[in-house]
């Protein structure tokens, strides 16, 4: 407890306030007298080093020395854990509102005033409960709050990511935008979709339009088979029953592109891309055959679309299939607007949650610090508990001077007035340093 963080204590930002919780033994005097001596020590000769306010510590149960030693080791970790949750809520609120944490309140009052007027919440944390039980109550509540925060974050993150994906989809290039958002019904109604033919769309770089129009009917020249029985050498056998059919007929003897020549039409342009339509042969059947039992076995169907897409991709053309929906759902714009409303609703709920839970979490954090001070003070000063706990609101850039003033007050063994130094390695009194964001 006498070893603050490197650099002179917790990190302090322009919008934060530094606080010390300190305890001093009363040594036969009253708490009022001890508090007066603290205030006199930090007066700073007309320029106060800090503002002090007393915290009334309830009659907490001491327990055994072993239990106190065990709690002393654990309380530092629990303190950091709850502080982490406080910071998460502060950051979340700041990100959602674009404001600093100054507008966050602890039960309708600013954090600085709450600390100045702090009193133990007997209803939430009955002081006559054993200390481990009180600590467990605080940690259990904080675990519930953190889990609730995770659930809010997951819902908000999912809505935000889905919204961003749709916005990229709508605002993207022609390879990503939904075709029904680009093409009007009067265009798609002219698309071909028969047993043998279908219309596909092709995204073409503007710089390659001329090359595309000149060569699209040659893309994938090895895909479609146009060969049939070879009767050129024996024209009289044409139509006569022979073995020149089915698997004995080499269809790929003559191959070509499935793209129908003269079918390309320019549909739209966006950025450095153009969208064309063209008609493709859907596919073909391989030759069938008659099996040993005399039953005809049809050949397999070969789809041309995927092969044509791969061949076009080699030339930097992107083939996209258009599927007309019988009962089209909401448009991408409608989905975006719906997700925007959903995300805004989640953000508003999260903002209200931060406002309501911040007070609960920060209050629990301060109660935990009071317990920590109580445990350390009993271990340091002995029984029965007779000490004064004060919260010092440290003035900016006065940390070193305040440490020296407090050392002089308790006649520190390791820091004499002649040294005039406070290297922060040890203190003869209990001291916990922390910061409150937005409480400057």
């Amino acid at each position: 407890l006498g070893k603050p963080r490197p650099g002179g204590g917790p990190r302090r930002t322009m919008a934060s306030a530094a606080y010390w919780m300190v305890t001093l033994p009363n040594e036969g005097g009253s708490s009022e007298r001890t508090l007066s001596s603290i205030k006199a020590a930090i007066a700073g000769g007309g320029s106060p080093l800090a503002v002090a306010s007393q915290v009334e510590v309830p009659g907490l149960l001491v327990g055994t020395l072993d239990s106190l030693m065990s709690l002393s080791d654990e309380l530092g970790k629990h303190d950091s854990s709850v502080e982490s949750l406080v910071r998460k809520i502060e950051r979340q609120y700041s990100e959602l509102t674009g404001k600093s944490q100054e507008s966050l309140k602890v039960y309708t009052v600013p954090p600085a005033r709450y600390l100045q007027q702090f009193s133990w919440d007997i209803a939430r944390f009955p002081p006559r409960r054993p200390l481990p039980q009180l600590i467990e109550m605080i940690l259990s509540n904080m675990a519930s709050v953190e889990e609730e925060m995770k659930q809010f974050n997951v819902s908000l993150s999912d809505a935000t990511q889905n919204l961003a994906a749709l916005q990229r989809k709508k605002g993207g290039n022609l390879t990503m935008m939904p075709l029904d958002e680009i093409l009007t019904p009067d265009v798609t109604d002219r698309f071909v979709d028969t047993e043998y033919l279908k219309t596909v769309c092709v995204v073409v770089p503007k710089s390659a339009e001329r090359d595309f129009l000149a060569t699209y009917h040659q893309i994938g020249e090895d895909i479609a088979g146009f060969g049939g029985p070879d009767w050129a050498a024996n024209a009289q056998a044409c139509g006569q029953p022979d073995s020149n059919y089915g698997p004995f007929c080499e269809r790929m003897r003559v191959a070509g592109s499935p793209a129908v020549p003269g079918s390309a039409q320019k549909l739209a342009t966006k950025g450095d891309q153009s969208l064309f339509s063209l008609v493709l042969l859907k596919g073909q059947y391989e030759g069938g055959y008659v099996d040993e039992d005399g039953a005809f076995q049809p050949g397999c169907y070969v789809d041309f679309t995927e092969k044509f897409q791969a061949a076009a991709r080699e030339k930097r053309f992107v083939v996209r299939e258009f599927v007309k929906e019988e009962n089209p759902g909401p448009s991408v714009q409608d989905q975006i607007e719906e997700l925007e409303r959903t995300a805004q609703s989640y953000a508003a709920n999260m903002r209200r949650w931060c406002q309501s839970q911040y007070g609960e979490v920060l209050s629990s954090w301060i109660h935990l610090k009071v317990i920590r001070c109580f445990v350390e003070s009993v271990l340091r000063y002995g029984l029965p508990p007779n000490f004064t706990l004060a919260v010092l609101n440290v003035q900016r850039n006065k940390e070193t001077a305040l440490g020296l003033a407090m050392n002089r007050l308790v006649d520190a063994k390791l820091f004499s007035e002649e040294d005039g130094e406070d290297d922060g390695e040890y203190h003869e009194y209990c001291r916990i340093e922390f910061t409150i964001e937005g409480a400057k």
Side-chain angles (χ1 to χ4, degrees), residues 60-79 129-136 139 368 371-376 379:
L60 300 174
L61 296 179
V62 174
T64 65
L65 179 61
D66 287 342
S67 67
L68 290 179
M69 293 291 291
S70 177
L71 288 177
S72 176
D73 294 335
E74 296 172 357
L75 278 168
K77 299 176 183 177
H78 298 330
D79 191 338
R129 296 278 183 90
L131 289 179
Q133 190 173 344
L134 287 177
I135 295 169
E136 181 57 32
L139 297 180
L368 190 66
I371 294 175
R372 188 180 174 193
C373 284
F374 177 83
V375 170
E376 296 296 337
L379 291 174

Side-chain angles (χ1 to χ4, degrees), residues 13 15-17 90 100-104 110-112 358 436-440:
T13 65
S16 66
E90 290 171 344
S100 68
Q101 298 87 347
E102 293 180 12
S103 55
L104 287 171
Y358 180 75
I436 299 294
E437 294 296 326
K440 62 179 180 177

